[in-house]
Amino acid sequence: MMSDPNFALSFQGTQADASKGGDMVYTVGTYSLTASDPKNKKPVTDKGKYMTVYKKQADGTWKAVADSINSTCPPRGVAVRAISGL
């Protein structure tokens, strides 16, 4: 994926919230993902929404424990298929 010359990924967070205990945080926002179309190698951009859940680890660092994207481009974006292998 990273070797794709057309690869580009950006995120724009719109909301973040923490649990009362302070050990879980989620973020939501939008993304833009560009990758090469597997058939013609031209760049294709997919845009959508994401949500990531982080959990605080025993050593104080944070680890992403759940991550989800939802394309807003009908039909399902070629960029997402290129990266996921679907």
Side-chain angles (χ1 to χ4, degrees), residues 27 32 42 56 70:
T27 60
S32 177
K42 292 183 180 180
K56 193 171 190 177
N70 181 23

Side-chain angles (χ1 to χ4, degrees), residues 6-24:
N6 293 312
F7 178 77
L9 178 62
S10 64
F11 293 91
Q12 177 66 46
T14 59
Q15 182 181 353
D17 201 5
S19 66
K20 288 183 182 181
D23 62 341
M24 299 276 290

Side-chain angles (χ1 to χ4, degrees), residues 8-70:
L9 178 62
S10 64
F11 293 91
Q12 177 66 46
T14 59
Q15 182 181 353
D17 201 5
S19 66
K20 288 183 182 181
D23 62 341
M24 299 276 290
V25 173
Y26 75 88
T27 60
V28 295
T30 59
Y31 73 88
S32 177
L33 169 65
T34 301
S36 296
D37 183 313
K39 294 179 182 175
N40 62 21
K41 306 301 181 200
K42 292 183 180 180
V44 178
T45 299
D46 180 57
K47 295 182 180 195
K49 299 172 278 188
Y50 75 89
M51 180 175 75
T52 305
V53 179
Y54 300 91
K55 184 173 181 181
K56 193 171 190 177
Q57 304 299 295
D59 65 1
T61 61
W62 291 86
K63 179 179 181 181
V65 294
D67 194 32
S68 177
I69 64 169
N70 181 23

